[in-house]
Amino acid sequence: NAGVMQNPRHLVRRRGQEARLRCSPMKGHSHVYWYRQLPEEGLKFMVYLQKENIIDESGMPKERFSAEFPKEGPSILRIQQVVRGDSAAYFCASSPTGTDTQYFGPGTRLTVL
Amino acid sequence: DQQVKQNSPSLSVQEGRISILNCDYTNSMFDYFLWYKKYPAEGPTFLISISSIKDKNEDGRFTVFLNKSAKHLSLHIVPSQPGDSAVYFCAALFTNAGKSTFGDGTTLTVKP
């Protein structure tokens, strides 16, 4: 049973470009969470999704950030018009229900030049 | 307002001794707590969890203790091994809400 998959592992963008981060949850998991880790900080919750629904986006910046988890395919975290402050490690986690242990992917390291 | 705090950014112990990592939380509504271990350039790996209805959970060398009145939990690693050197995060969640709130992590170094 493959774990949570994230791609790309490393992403370099110039200011103003768009970044798309993908997450495939573990098989049988329908709950996906995105977290961000800024340098020298802990993980900060961004958004919680189930298939085709956003359950909690209280940690998402109000502008430029969006997330989706379509019926088919991976969950996507999209950052438009990236700025240097968006440089961070973005982790995706999944769980089978919404009430128990979350299993993390290896993360995508975004660098904005 | 940080609801989950790990006040020690780092901890160094000798191989074979006990490592004790601490975590405090402020919201008494949290009902499930977890510890994760993270190596550089990897995602966090689940270690051990505890429900708020318990005060202790043990798994091999790892034991988590929960003191609800003090809003405090701790992770004990006995005996510590060099391979345990990593960043340890505690996390708390409301089981009807899903999202986890993480502390900032404690870097554990186990010296041979």
Side-chain angles (χ1 to χ4, degrees):
Chain A
N1 186 11
V4 178
M5 310 284 283
Q6 288 188 252
N7 69 81
R9 294 292 308 273
H10 300 274
L11 182 61
V12 179
R13 286 287 177 266
R14 296 193 180 279
R15 280 179 297 171
Q17 291 184 320
E18 179 180 286
R20 284 191 177 223
L21 290 65
R22 294 175 184 76
C23 170
S24 297
M26 288 178 71
K27 188 176 179 181
H29 288 194
S30 59
H31 298 251
V32 165
Y33 313 80
W34 285 93
Y35 294 86
R36 176 166 67 173
Q37 185 179 24
L38 294 169
E40 308 301 324
E41 292 187 14
L43 293 103
K44 304 299 182 188
F45 169 78
M46 298 182 75
V47 63
Y48 164 31
L49 310 104
Q50 278 185 273
K51 286 284 187 181
E52 300 184 278
N53 287 307
I54 296 175
I55 307 301
D56 182 348
E57 56 180 349
S58 58
M60 288 280 269
K62 293 286 185 279
E63 298 176 345
R64 304 188 296 109
F65 285 71
S66 61
E68 62 176 8
F69 189 15
K71 188 176 180 181
E72 301 291 337
S75 174
I76 307 286
L77 178 67
R78 183 181 177 207
I79 311 172
Q80 295 177 287
Q81 300 173 343
V82 296
V83 301
R84 289 221 175 102
D86 297 332
S87 296
Y90 291 82
F91 292 97
C92 166
S94 73
S95 71
T97 70
T99 60
D100 56 13
T101 302
Q102 297 169 18
Y103 295 88
F104 281 80
T108 294
R109 274 139 195 89
L110 172 65
T111 301
V112 180
L113 302 177
Chain B
D1 176 31
Q2 193 163 5
Q3 296 191 65
V4 178
K5 291 183 181 179
Q6 294 176 255
N7 291 318
S8 298
S10 62
L11 174 67
S12 180
V13 300
Q14 207 67 36
E15 181 179 7
R17 307 294 287 266
I18 184 171
S19 295
I20 301 176
L21 297 100
N22 294 302
C23 180
D24 297 296
Y25 60 96
T26 57
N27 194 327
S28 58
M29 299 299 290
F30 287 131
D31 57 1
Y32 197 67
F33 303 89
L34 309 97
W35 284 94
Y36 289 85
K37 175 180 178 180
K38 186 181 180 303
Y39 293 117
E42 294 184 13
T45 304
F46 169 71
L47 262 181
I48 192 169
S49 62
I50 188 167
S51 165
S52 61
I53 62 174
K54 295 186 174 181
D55 54 19
K56 177 182 175 181
N57 189 24
E58 191 172 354
D59 183 2
R61 296 186 298 113
F62 302 91
T63 303
V64 56
F65 295 91
L66 176 63
N67 181 334
K68 286 191 293 293
S69 61
K71 298 192 184 70
H72 177 83
L73 66 154
S74 61
L75 175 69
H76 292 211
I77 307 173
V78 182
S80 301
Q81 300 173 353
D84 296 330
S85 297
V87 179
Y88 289 78
F89 292 98
C90 72
L93 63 93
F94 313 104
T95 51
N96 65 353
K99 73 179 184 185
S100 293
T101 301
F102 282 80
D104 285 344
T106 296
T107 300
L108 174 65
T109 303
V110 180
K111 298 179 180 177

